[in-house]
Amino acid sequence: MKDTSRRNSRGTKISNQQTTKSKEQNGEKNNVTSGGDKDASTLPLTEDDPLEVIPEEYRKHGVDTEPILHYVRERSEDEELESLLEAAQRDVRLHQARIKAAASNDLSLLGEYDFNKDPQFIARQERRKLRMEAVQSLTNEATMILEELDEDKKDLTHTERTQVKLARWQRALELYVYCPSSMSMDLLGLLEKLLDGTSEEEELSEVLSQAFHMCSSLVDVTQQSVHDATEDAAMAEDAYMIRLEAHRMFSNNALRRSDEIQSQFRTNGRAALQIGHQLEFAESKRAQCESASILIRRWWMMEQLAESEDISGEELKVNEEVRGVIPPQSCRMDPLFTLPEQSLEASRALKQLRAVVKSRGNATTAAAAVSGGWSDPNSARRFDLTAKLIRRTSKALEQRLLNNFAQVYSVGGLYDFTDKPRAGSINWMHLRELAQALLMFDSGRNLHKTYVDMVITSRFPELFAVKKKGSKVINDPKSDGNEDSDEEMDFDMDATRSELSSLFHRVSDVCTAEFELIAHVFGQCGGNEEMTLTVARALLQRVISDPKNGLQSRISDLLESIDRRGDFDAGAKKLDTFVVIHEKAAGLFHLLRDAAEKMIAYSQAGKSKDAVNSVTALKQFLTSQEIALSSGHRKGYLNLELRLLHHSCCSILQEIGCILDRPKTRSQDLSLAEKGILEDYRAPILPINMKYLMTCDILLGPLKSSVLRQPVIFASDSLARARLMFGAGKKGGEATARVIASIFHQMCNFYGQAYLYPIVQALGEKLHPYSPNTPPQLPFDENDAAPDLGVPAQFWVALEYIHTAAKSFDRELWAENRPGSGRVWDTLYTTGGQASMSQARKYRLQFFAELESRGETAIHRALQTLSEHIRWVLVAGGESMFATGGNRFFSGSSNGPYAIPHGSSLETPNSPAVKSLTFCLRSQFVNIQAALTPTSLSAFWSALSMRLYDIFVPRLIQHYTITQVGAVILSRDVEALRSVSMLAGTNHSHWDNLREAVTLYMTPPVALKSMLVGPEGDANSGRGLFKRVGRYQSLVFMSRRSDYRAKTNQGLRKATWVMELLDSLGVPDPTDSHINMGMFAAERKNQ
């Protein structure tokens, strides 16, 4: 427990060492405390010799005492780590010696003890070595030990087998204790192996006794091993703490020395920096003085030449001397200006001289002149003569340099910018030297103009040369602009677009190469990175924006030549030209931006801040040029795209003979016209003429599949062109989204208001919701086509076509949740135009909502037409005297078709009217099912079922009398009508109630009461037909029995059984007053 507590306190002791660092450096002396509350570094040195005195701590606590450092503290100021570690090793020995001396009370051990010769330490090391060898042996023999544990020696006696078994079990036990990872069984399994085969009690006791001794011996050995490990760990921990303290002292010393060095550097470095600044300032002043001296001498030289020229009256031939026409030995000017190899130095000198001339007009010079510096008229005259000569010399030298630059560039060659160019390469190094010299003249403005002119004339002859078309020169001012336009009509648009495309490629190739030349020639002109931007910008400005021959001008000429034709075919070609121009221009500017980016790599300045800023400015200029080139065409493109799309869609209808109504006049936005802004094109709505639709075959005309698909195809092409013109994805942005939304809005207007809406309206108006005047001839022949009941099959087929067209329109144009389709939803989603997306969704919802509303109106009209014809078949046909069947149901009777006398034959299962009606409805159902969606079909057929019920039941309870024989036919008719009503829909409970009510006509009077109220005979029992059908309804249905009233001398009177039945039920007869027909409505039955 002592060893454990001592080890747990080590971390606290080490951390406490950090808090007493300052005290150690100051050498504070404190008394030694006991326990372990202070770390080893805070314990004081004893005043006595450490080899003669045992500290009291060691006498009290022994091995638990923290090391008291002596030799390490003596060398705390030592800067050598080896010396501190040597002192630490001596403290380790001293600590162990103090522990031994305190334990044996022998002071001699303080100087003589060596733990490497300590018998206890040596014994621990020997035991540890033997233990490691034993463990290694057990590990190597683990498999054999486990196998031998299961072997059984048959040739030995029982006692011998027991001894062998115990010896093997002892080895297995040692393996279990020392090498648990090599053991495949637990202790319980090991005991089972020991007791396996032992049956007698004495033998079992003997085996267990010997096993106990084995375990006890192993426990003692293990305990000794733990004790040895604890002692070794304590010694290692003490030694580690002492060495750690030595390292800490070394680190503190190094940190202190670093702080001192840093402090000295800060103090002495500032002084050195000030001295350096003073030297640099003095050097700059010396350089300025030398430069001023050279400038004065050159001024005096030019002044002397000017005076000599003025005195002699002979004009100095500056141009000839500078250009080298006059031999050098005959030149009067300084060789600095006449020798070509000194052009750069001459340019710099002339720049300084021009600065002196220019400085005469500033305020400082004027003040000096007033004070007397320029009061001498001769001085002013000499200054003017010198200034004139300097200007003549500058002009001559600049012209010579420009001519040399033009000559070298005109020679041309490969653009090889390596240090050792190949043969035939352009001499770009000479060009760079000339450019550096020309930079001194007006910042190289004439050089820029000359270079751009040379590039234009030599690299773009097809762009800036006079262009011919046949025998007519387009750009020739002498040509007559009013000539016949036959040649323009033969103008090959495809060839022109191909030529323009090749021109874009030419511009890209040339500008890319010239950008590299500009970076190498102009990019090193005095380190001025703005020079490359200026030259490249001037070149691009000339190529793209030249008002006569630039790309913009050529594109405008091309589009104007197309406009002069004026037909829609030319408009389509113009659209294609728009797209080609935009696509090629986008590729061109992309390549130019890449070439501008590479200018940083070409420049020797590398990716310096100035170089990066210059390239960024050039890229921004390219972007602005691209916008200027494309934005001017985008509005014209959009108006033309919408106009041609509208024309193409209307042409499809006109080609099949459709008559279109005139559009409504729209008021123009005068505010935009006053501002000179072109108003966005809004396509007029030209709906199909209703009179034409009422007379034509819609299926073979407007609803032909080719006509339905073609507008969608046109719109898809327009969307694709718009994506190419304005860009897709985030690059297009809100501009692309607005264009796509405009195209979709126009298509919604055309496909709805001009196309599908009038067709749906005409389909409804073609139906006549009234029945013929003459009754039908029943029954209908089922071998022939069924009558359409006023709604022809073409109506439903047309609705199916319209529904399919609307779905195709949504699928092909809107295409929601179809990424990568390139349709409206995909484009708006990728561009991120939320406002345009909301507008497009609004247009889509309005289109489908209006189409659905008009479709519902047409279907409701069809429902009305079917209802009237159902009434026509059931009432007019069923009650007609001309109705025929297997038997004539009644003749001249007004009691209806179910007043069949008793004993009549029942050859036909249904009445002719019901049979014919179900035949027609089943035939009609096929067409309706194909035209409507399942939901719409269910709702329509449910409504038709209610209409059929509301026609049949009121006629039954108001006009028909039912006999028992007629009740059989009535039951069959109800089943037939119910069967046809249940072809679709789910709400048909009204027919179930009618089936229950029909049983009233088949039941004898004596059984009616139990049927009406149940077997109890109580009218309030909530059973019978009173519960299922209703009391009022059941009594009214019962009143249509043929025996409900009997003939008497006073006329028709209620039968006796009726009076008795009503009295027994205690209910009045509802037929005594007016019958409320609303109680029998199908909708009421379903609530």
Side-chain angles (χ1 to χ4, degrees):
M1 294 300 292
K2 289 183 179 180
D3 295 335
T4 303
S5 62
R6 182 171 182 265
R7 288 194 302 270
N8 292 338
S9 64
R10 294 294 187 180
T12 305
K13 306 302 184 284
I14 295 174
S15 63
N16 289 338
Q17 294 175 9
Q18 305 294 332
T19 62
T20 59
K21 174 182 176 182
S22 60
K23 293 183 179 181
E24 294 173 4
Q25 294 178 352
N26 295 330
E28 293 183 357
K29 304 293 183 175
N30 295 322
N31 292 329
V32 179
T33 58
S34 62
D37 295 334
K38 295 186 180 286
D39 59 74
S41 63
T42 63
L43 296 177
L45 291 172
T46 60
E47 297 179 356
D48 301 324
D49 188 351
L51 300 180
E52 297 179 357
V53 179
I54 301 175
E56 191 65 24
E57 287 290 325
Y58 288 89
R59 296 185 182 276
K60 292 181 178 180
H61 303 287
V63 295
D64 293 335
T65 303
E66 296 294 332
I68 299 176
L69 305 183
H70 177 76
Y71 299 106
V72 171
R73 295 292 297 275
E74 286 181 346
R75 299 186 182 180
S76 60
E77 300 298 328
D78 202 335
E79 298 181 357
E80 297 294 332
L81 179 60
E82 292 79 1
S83 176
L84 287 171
L85 292 179
E86 180 183 356
Q89 186 64 27
R90 295 177 64 186
D91 274 332
V92 171
R93 189 208 66 79
L94 179 61
H95 176 66
Q96 296 298 328
R98 285 172 173 173
I99 294 175
K100 291 294 183 181
S104 60
N105 198 17
D106 185 0
L107 291 177
S108 61
L109 292 177
L110 293 176
E112 300 174 357
Y113 178 76
D114 185 0
F115 59 85
N116 290 322
K117 299 178 181 179
D118 187 359
Q120 295 181 0
F121 178 78
I122 295 173
R124 286 202 307 270
Q125 295 300 317
E126 291 294 332
R127 288 193 295 270
R128 181 174 179 274
K129 181 179 179 181
L130 294 175
R131 184 168 59 254
M132 294 302 296
E133 293 176 354
V135 170
Q136 184 64 35
S137 175
L138 289 172
T139 302
N140 297 335
E141 300 175 359
T143 304
M144 184 183 67
I145 291 173
L146 294 177
E147 290 177 355
E148 290 179 349
L149 195 62
D150 295 329
E151 291 183 1
D152 187 12
K153 296 291 186 177
K154 301 294 185 180
D155 54 345
L156 301 177
T157 62
H158 182 71
T159 302
E160 292 174 344
R161 284 201 305 272
T162 301
Q163 294 300 324
V164 171
K165 185 175 184 180
L166 284 172
R168 292 176 177 177
W169 188 82
Q170 183 178 6
R171 292 282 289 171
L173 180 61
E174 292 175 352
L175 179 65
Y176 174 78
V177 173
Y178 291 120
C179 307
S181 59
S182 302
M183 195 67 179
S184 59
M185 64 180 68
D186 55 3
L187 182 60
L188 184 60
L190 199 61
L191 289 174
E192 290 178 355
K193 291 290 185 181
L194 176 63
L195 301 178
D196 188 18
T198 305
S199 57
E200 296 182 3
E201 183 176 353
E202 293 182 357
E203 182 182 0
L204 180 62
S205 176
E206 180 65 22
V207 168
L208 290 177
S209 175
Q210 294 188 26
F212 171 75
H213 291 298
M214 293 178 185
C215 292
S216 299
S217 176
L218 189 58
V219 167
D220 294 338
V221 173
T222 306
Q223 185 176 6
Q224 181 63 42
S225 300
V226 172
H227 180 73
D228 292 345
T230 303
E231 293 295 330
D232 292 339
M235 288 183 63
E237 183 180 9
D238 293 336
Y240 172 78
M241 288 183 62
I242 295 173
R243 293 189 181 94
L244 182 63
E245 180 64 17
H247 280 86
R248 189 185 67 80
M249 290 182 177
F250 174 76
S251 300
N252 291 338
N253 294 335
L255 180 60
R256 186 179 64 257
R257 291 195 303 272
S258 299
D259 292 340
E260 293 174 355
I261 293 172
Q262 184 178 10
S263 177
Q264 293 175 3
F265 174 78
R266 288 176 178 176
T267 303
N268 300 332
R270 291 191 185 96
L273 186 61
Q274 291 176 358
I275 294 173
H277 287 168
Q278 293 175 359
L279 291 175
E280 290 178 359
F281 181 74
E283 181 65 22
S284 64
K285 288 298 182 180
R286 187 190 65 80
Q288 290 178 4
C289 292
E290 290 182 357
S291 177
S293 175
I294 294 172
L295 178 61
I296 291 173
R297 287 197 301 270
R298 287 172 179 171
W299 177 269
W300 287 344
M301 178 191 65
M302 298 297 291
E303 187 180 40
Q304 183 180 3
L305 285 175
E307 287 184 355
S308 173
E309 181 184 19
D310 183 60
I311 293 172
S312 64
E314 182 181 356
E315 184 179 0
L316 186 63
K317 298 180 180 180
V318 177
N319 288 331
E320 289 76 3
E321 291 189 13
V322 172
R323 290 168 55 191
V325 177
I326 299 176
Q329 59 272 17
S330 303
C331 292
R332 297 169 58 187
M333 297 187 68
D334 192 289
L336 176 67
F337 304 112
T338 59
L339 296 179
E341 55 269 17
Q342 296 186 4
S343 298
L344 180 59
E345 185 64 26
S347 300
R348 290 173 179 169
L350 288 173
K351 182 179 180 181
Q352 293 174 350
L353 293 173
R354 288 195 303 273
V356 173
V357 173
K358 188 176 180 181
S359 66
R360 183 180 183 183
N362 59 29
T364 304
T365 308
V370 172
S371 64
W374 296 97
S375 59
D376 185 6
N378 292 326
S379 299
R381 184 181 63 83
R382 288 196 307 271
F383 188 90
D384 293 336
L385 292 175
T386 306
K388 183 178 179 181
L389 179 60
I390 290 172
R391 284 192 290 268
R392 288 164 55 196
T393 306
S394 298
K395 184 177 180 180
L397 181 60
E398 182 183 15
Q399 190 60 43
R400 186 190 77 186
L401 293 174
L402 288 174
N403 293 337
N404 294 340
F405 189 93
Q407 290 175 3
V408 175
Y409 185 83
S410 299
V411 172
L414 300 175
Y415 281 11
D416 185 0
F417 299 101
T418 59
D419 294 335
K420 296 181 179 179
R422 293 172 290 176
S425 300
I426 191 171
N427 192 356
W428 65 275
M429 294 183 180
H430 191 193
L431 289 176
R432 182 176 64 186
E433 294 173 357
L434 294 173
Q436 289 176 351
L438 285 167
L439 180 63
M440 306 300 172
F441 299 95
D442 197 12
S443 299
R445 181 173 300 177
N446 292 329
L447 171 63
H448 304 164
K449 185 176 182 300
T450 303
Y451 169 73
V452 171
D453 290 339
M454 287 189 298
V455 173
I456 292 301
T457 54
S458 61
R459 299 292 191 266
F460 299 107
E462 65 274 27
L463 184 63
F464 287 86
V466 176
K467 184 179 179 182
K468 295 183 178 181
K469 182 184 70 175
S471 60
K472 179 181 177 181
V473 180
I474 295 179
N475 293 334
D476 189 359
K478 298 180 180 180
S479 63
D480 186 5
N482 298 322
E483 293 181 2
D484 188 80
S485 60
D486 292 339
E487 292 183 358
E488 293 181 358
M489 298 298 292
D490 298 334
F491 188 70
D492 191 348
M493 207 71 62
D494 296 332
T496 303
R497 290 200 302 270
S498 176
E499 180 182 354
L500 192 59
S501 177
S502 62
L503 181 59
F504 279 171
H505 286 293
R506 177 68 175 166
V507 171
S508 173
D509 296 339
V510 171
C511 289
T512 301
E514 293 303 320
F515 281 175
E516 188 175 1
L517 178 65
I518 290 171
H520 284 87
V521 173
F522 298 95
Q524 286 79 27
C525 294
N528 187 2
E529 295 299 332
E530 294 183 358
M531 180 64 64
T532 58
L533 171 63
T534 304
V535 178
R537 188 168 183 169
L539 176 62
L540 293 173
Q541 188 80 25
R542 184 76 181 279
V543 172
I544 298 173
S545 304
D546 187 83
K548 186 176 180 181
N549 296 312
L551 285 179
Q552 288 184 350
S553 176
R554 284 303 177 92
I555 292 170
S556 299
D557 292 341
L558 174 62
L559 296 177
E560 288 176 3
S561 66
I562 299 174
D563 290 338
R564 284 195 290 269
R565 300 188 63 179
D567 56 358
F568 283 99
D569 291 337
K573 290 185 176 182
K574 186 175 181 180
L575 272 183
D576 295 339
T577 306
F578 270 131
V579 175
V580 169
I581 290 172
H582 184 77
E583 182 181 5
K584 297 300 181 182
L588 168 64
F589 283 100
H590 177 72
L591 293 176
L592 292 179
R593 279 189 290 268
D594 289 344
E597 188 71 32
K598 293 178 181 178
M599 292 177 69
I600 298 180
Y602 300 148
S603 175
Q604 290 183 356
K607 293 187 177 180
S608 64
K609 184 177 180 181
D610 293 338
V612 173
N613 292 339
S614 299
V615 171
T616 303
L618 181 58
K619 291 168 66 177
Q620 292 174 353
F621 172 75
L622 287 170
T623 303
S624 65
Q625 290 295 311
E626 181 181 10
I627 294 174
L629 181 64
S630 59
S631 62
H633 301 149
R634 283 183 172 180
K635 194 171 188 65
Y637 158 80
L638 179 58
N639 288 338
L640 182 59
E641 181 70 72
L642 296 177
R643 187 184 298 273
L644 288 180
L645 176 61
H646 180 258
H647 169 74
S648 302
C649 294
C650 293
S651 298
I652 292 297
L653 299 180
Q654 288 182 334
E655 288 174 1
I656 62 173
C658 291
I659 301 175
L660 305 180
D661 291 338
R662 294 180 64 84
K664 297 179 181 179
T665 16
R666 291 179 177 175
S667 59
Q668 295 183 353
D669 192 349
L670 299 179
S671 62
L672 293 178
E674 292 174 356
K675 297 177 182 178
I677 300 176
L678 181 63
E679 186 178 1
D680 291 339
Y681 175 76
R682 293 183 296 169
I685 298 175
L686 284 70
I688 303 177
N689 185 267
M690 289 300 299
K691 292 182 180 179
Y692 166 77
L693 290 174
M694 295 297 292
T695 57
C696 75
D697 188 346
I698 294 179
L699 292 179
L700 297 179
L703 289 184
K704 289 174 62 176
S705 59
S706 59
V707 179
L708 289 170
R709 290 196 308 268
Q710 201 61 41
V712 179
I713 295 175
F714 289 149
S716 301
D717 295 340
S718 297
L719 293 176
R721 282 193 295 267
R723 286 168 61 89
L724 289 174
M725 188 69 185
F726 290 86
K730 296 295 183 182
K731 179 182 178 182
E734 189 63 31
T736 304
R738 285 196 298 269
V739 173
I740 297 299
S742 300
I743 295 175
F744 184 66
H745 184 205
Q746 178 172 307
M747 283 306 300
C748 288
N749 288 337
F750 169 79
Y751 219 69
Q753 299 181 36
Y755 186 25
L756 294 184
Y757 294 172
I759 295 176
V760 175
Q761 183 179 353
L763 288 175
E765 292 182 0
K766 278 188 174 185
L767 302 179
H768 304 292
Y770 48 83
S771 58
N773 295 326
T774 58
Q777 298 293 327
L778 301 179
F780 299 137
D781 188 355
E782 296 187 1
N783 294 323
D784 296 335
D788 56 17
L789 298 181
V791 183
Q794 290 80 1
F795 173 84
W796 302 109
V797 175
L799 285 183
E800 180 186 0
Y801 282 8
I802 292 172
H803 182 255
T804 304
K807 291 195 299 183
S808 176
F809 176 82
D810 189 61
R811 181 177 61 253
E812 296 299 328
L813 283 188
W814 180 252
E816 187 163 359
N817 294 327
R818 284 172 54 191
S821 63
R823 295 302 189 259
V824 176
W825 180 88
D826 176 52
T827 305
L828 296 179
Y829 180 79
T830 53
T831 55
Q834 297 299 326
S836 299
M837 175 71 83
S838 301
Q839 287 292 331
R841 288 187 184 276
K842 177 183 175 182
Y843 301 149
R844 177 172 175 260
L845 291 177
Q846 289 176 349
F847 168 75
F848 282 102
E850 182 65 21
L851 183 63
E852 184 178 1
S853 175
R854 291 174 181 260
E856 289 177 354
T857 303
I859 293 173
H860 187 264
R861 193 175 179 89
L863 180 61
Q864 289 180 332
T865 303
L866 289 175
S867 301
E868 291 300 324
H869 282 74
I870 288 172
R871 187 185 305 277
W872 175 63
V873 172
L874 285 178
V875 178
E879 298 177 3
S880 174
M881 294 298 295
F882 302 101
T884 58
N887 291 324
R888 186 178 298 277
F889 285 169
F890 60 91
S891 176
S893 172
S894 60
N895 292 331
Y898 302 111
I900 303 175
H902 182 70
S904 298
S905 174
L906 299 176
E907 295 180 0
T908 58
N910 299 104
S911 63
V914 173
K915 180 180 180 182
S916 300
L917 179 61
T918 54
F919 169 60
C920 295
L921 290 178
R922 290 183 182 275
S923 177
Q924 191 73 236
F925 177 78
V926 177
N927 299 324
I928 299 174
Q929 186 180 27
L932 302 181
T933 62
T935 304
S936 301
L937 175 65
S938 175
F940 179 83
W941 206 253
S942 297
L944 184 64
S945 172
M946 294 182 184
R947 295 277 185 110
L948 177 59
Y949 181 88
D950 291 340
I951 293 172
F952 182 74
V953 170
R955 195 70 183 176
L956 175 68
I957 62 179
Q958 284 182 326
H959 301 283
Y960 295 165
T961 300
I962 299 96
T963 63
Q964 286 188 345
V965 177
V968 176
I969 301 299
L970 175 61
S971 176
R972 295 173 181 174
D973 287 351
V974 171
E975 286 295 332
L977 294 176
R978 178 178 177 271
S979 175
V980 77
S981 296
M982 296 186 68
L983 290 175
T986 56
N987 198 359
H988 304 293
S989 60
H990 46 276
W991 291 107
D992 297 332
N993 294 334
L994 183 58
R995 291 171 65 191
E996 295 285 346
V998 169
T999 58
L1000 291 172
Y1001 306 120
M1002 303 178 185
T1003 306
V1006 296
L1008 284 175
K1009 183 177 181 180
S1010 61
M1011 180 176 291
L1012 290 173
V1013 297
E1016 293 84 357
D1018 185 4
N1020 298 320
S1021 64
R1023 297 185 180 183
L1025 291 179
F1026 278 10
K1027 171 64 177 175
R1028 295 191 297 272
V1029 181
R1031 175 184 299 181
Y1032 183 86
Q1033 293 88 338
S1034 298
L1035 294 177
V1036 172
F1037 275 117
M1038 187 181 67
S1039 68
R1040 303 316 299 171
R1041 290 174 60 104
S1042 60
D1043 57 352
Y1044 190 82
R1045 286 177 174 81
K1047 290 184 178 180
T1048 62
N1049 294 332
Q1050 292 81 19
L1052 291 175
R1053 292 288 185 272
K1054 294 178 185 177
T1056 305
W1057 63 269
V1058 174
M1059 302 297 293
E1060 293 176 353
L1061 178 60
L1062 294 175
D1063 291 342
S1064 64
L1065 294 175
V1067 294
D1069 186 0
T1071 59
D1072 290 342
S1073 60
H1074 177 72
I1075 299 176
N1076 183 8
M1077 298 306 300
M1079 301 290 292
F1080 298 89
E1083 187 175 0
R1084 181 182 179 88
K1085 295 291 183 182
N1086 294 323
Q1087 290 178 352

